[in-house]
Amino acid sequence: MKNCERLANLALAGLTLAPLVVKVDPNLNVILTASLAVYVGCYRSVKPTPPAETMSNEHAMRFPFVGSAMLLSLFLLFKFLSKDLVNAVLTCYFFVLGIVALSATLLPAIKGYLPNHWNDDVISWHFPYFRSLEIEFTRSQVVASIPGTFFCAWYASQKHWLANNILGLAFCIQGIEMLSLGSFKTGAILLAGLFVYDIFWVFFTPVMVSVAKSFDAPIKLLFPTADALRPYSMLGLGDIVIPGIFVALALRFDVSRGKGSQYFKSAFLGYTFGLVLTIVVMNWFQAAQPALLYIVPAVIGFLATHVLWNGEVKPLMEFDESKTAAASQDSSESNSAKKVQ
């Protein structure tokens, strides 16, 4: 598993840098980059302790409405305020957020080259005049934040597509690694809601496309093209993270049963197929497409077909990571109590 993840990391890094030196077809670049980001994020999400915080069915149902409110708010801000002012404020916000995300993404690769006590010893720092506010960090996290700060400063000053993509990929990987749907039922509710959300805001209003073009922040990946009128192809981070956390859940389900990557393969194949279909339709109609329109049915369809074929609908639907996390925590506390005794 670790070797596959390491190869995927190297492939993703190489593919991200490749357009600087060679011509890369933007359609192929979109498919490979998004698929590799999902693959890396999924394997990083497999940890000894399941996520303690998981999404509930109620949160999944509300998510499309919260997303719609935020999208509409951004549209109105760009419509009635200076675009430069809005983007300046957002750049400051993503500067801080980018350092945190990129540092966390690089940390596992850096930790192996640093002394153990740099990784283990936690330092507490209190804000001046606000002693109740406290930040905990390790020396390794400080070292990892150095390249993160460099890339964020480069992005803020130049808005180069490469800096944008590096930060965007860090957000994607961290989102897939840290977010948990809890159960496949919750995941299906979330994907179904965002399926409708994406279709509505892309096909029935100009809001989504307008915000995507106006929003000068790493919320989308940019892929250089040879077309002067359309210098970049774009893919929103939501089209990677949202399906990605569902695919990651399939991988953790496989791991919890000790069966390798049985259902992960079908879910991941569904994601890749949906992405390819998005690109095909976009080029056929020469118009922006809501990627989740194709990705959501493909991911759920491929996984559902595989589960029905194996006759394992019940185990999959009964899987609940919140219960697994609680059981893991109780077991850990029990073992600690035995050691004390």
Side-chain angles (χ1 to χ4, degrees), residues 110-175:
I110 292 174
K111 287 172 68 174
Y113 299 97
L114 298 174
N116 288 333
H117 69 275
W118 281 34
N119 301 325
D120 301 331
D121 296 345
V122 178
I123 300 170
S124 297
W125 183 76
H126 295 269
F127 281 84
Y129 308 109
F130 299 95
R131 304 296 295 176
S132 59
L133 295 177
E134 180 183 8
I135 296 178
E136 292 185 345
F137 55 89
T138 63
R139 291 180 179 89
S140 298
Q141 289 173 324
V142 174
V143 174
S145 70
I146 295 172
T149 303
F150 165 76
F151 277 108
C152 288
W154 180 30
Y155 174 77
S157 61
Q158 301 295 326
K159 297 297 177 73
H160 195 277
W161 65 264
L162 179 59
N164 173 90
N165 286 4
I166 289 172
L167 292 178
L169 288 170
F171 290 139
C172 289
I173 292 170
Q174 285 302 301

Side-chain angles (χ1 to χ4, degrees), residues 123-235:
I123 300 170
S124 297
W125 183 76
H126 295 269
F127 281 84
Y129 308 109
F130 299 95
R131 304 296 295 176
S132 59
L133 295 177
E134 180 183 8
I135 296 178
E136 292 185 345
F137 55 89
T138 63
R139 291 180 179 89
S140 298
Q141 289 173 324
V142 174
V143 174
S145 70
I146 295 172
T149 303
F150 165 76
F151 277 108
C152 288
W154 180 30
Y155 174 77
S157 61
Q158 301 295 326
K159 297 297 177 73
H160 195 277
W161 65 264
L162 179 59
N164 173 90
N165 286 4
I166 289 172
L167 292 178
L169 288 170
F171 290 139
C172 289
I173 292 170
Q174 285 302 301
I176 296 171
E177 178 183 353
M178 303 303 296
L179 297 175
S180 172
L181 292 169
S183 69
F184 288 97
K185 186 184 296 184
T186 302
I189 293 171
L190 178 66
L191 290 183
L194 290 174
F195 173 80
V196 177
Y197 160 92
D198 219 21
I199 293 171
F200 175 77
W201 289 111
V202 172
F203 282 150
F204 297 99
T205 75
V207 173
M208 180 80 81
V209 175
S210 175
V211 170
K213 290 180 178 179
S214 302
F215 204 151
D216 194 4
I219 61 161
K220 55 186 179 292
L221 300 183
L222 301 174
F223 302 93
T225 70
D227 187 352
L229 297 176
R230 190 173 65 94
Y232 298 104
S233 290
M234 297 186 297
L235 181 68

